[in-house]
Amino acid sequence: MVLVLVSMCAGAALVMLASAYRSLKSKVNVTEYSINRMEKDRELQKRFDDLYNTIDNRVDNIMNEIDNKQETVERVLDEIRDMIDNTEGRIDSRSDKLWAEIEKLEETLTK
């Protein structure tokens, strides 16, 4: 009878041991899955950050190029305005000389 009781206890212990083993194994699998998922999330975040930084740098470069082009355009426009002002001054000077000549001719004709 003691032998039967010991065998039943040993059988129950084996069943509990097998159940505990399965439970631990599933917890280890879940933990490994969680660790793998966290590593993949970290890797994905790093790739996203790298991509964001690359795009941000390219946007900055493009904005700098636009600013440089705008400064160049403004410089060229200033040069054109200066040329126009210079030309207008020369035209005014020549027209003043022509009017002076015309007035002289009128004076000589009226005398």
Side-chain angles (χ1 to χ4, degrees):
M1 174 97 133
V2 173
L3 191 55
V4 172
L5 192 56
V6 170
S7 352
M8 285 177 64
C9 285
L14 283 174
V15 169
M16 286 177 41
L17 192 60
S19 175
Y21 175 76
R22 278 193 214 130
S23 177
L24 283 174
K25 187 175 180 184
S26 70
K27 286 181 181 178
V28 167
N29 285 342
V30 167
T31 303
E32 285 179 15
Y33 170 76
S34 296
I35 291 171
N36 287 341
R37 195 172 117 234
M38 288 185 334
E39 287 174 352
K40 288 190 187 250
D41 286 348
R42 196 173 321 126
E43 181 183 324
L44 184 62
Q45 184 65 39
K46 183 183 180 304
R47 288 176 58 195
F48 174 79
D49 290 342
D50 290 345
L51 183 60
Y52 177 82
N53 288 335
T54 301
I55 290 172
D56 192 46
N57 288 338
R58 288 185 181 172
V59 166
D60 286 344
N61 290 340
I62 289 172
M63 293 302 290
N64 287 337
E65 285 183 32
I66 289 172
D67 289 342
N68 291 340
K69 299 287 184 196
Q70 185 175 2
E71 289 172 6
T72 303
V73 167
E74 288 174 1
R75 238 182 293 118
V76 168
L77 285 174
D78 286 342
E79 289 175 7
I80 291 172
R81 287 184 191 107
D82 289 344
M83 285 189 235
I84 289 172
D85 289 344
N86 187 18
T87 303
E88 284 178 343
R90 290 168 70 192
I91 290 171
D92 287 344
S93 171
R94 289 182 182 169
S95 66
D96 289 344
K97 287 179 183 176
L98 282 174
W99 278 113
E101 288 295 321
I102 290 172
E103 287 174 357
K104 282 182 189 175
L105 283 172
E106 282 181 348
E107 285 178 18
T108 56
L109 289 176
T110 54
K111 286 186 184 180

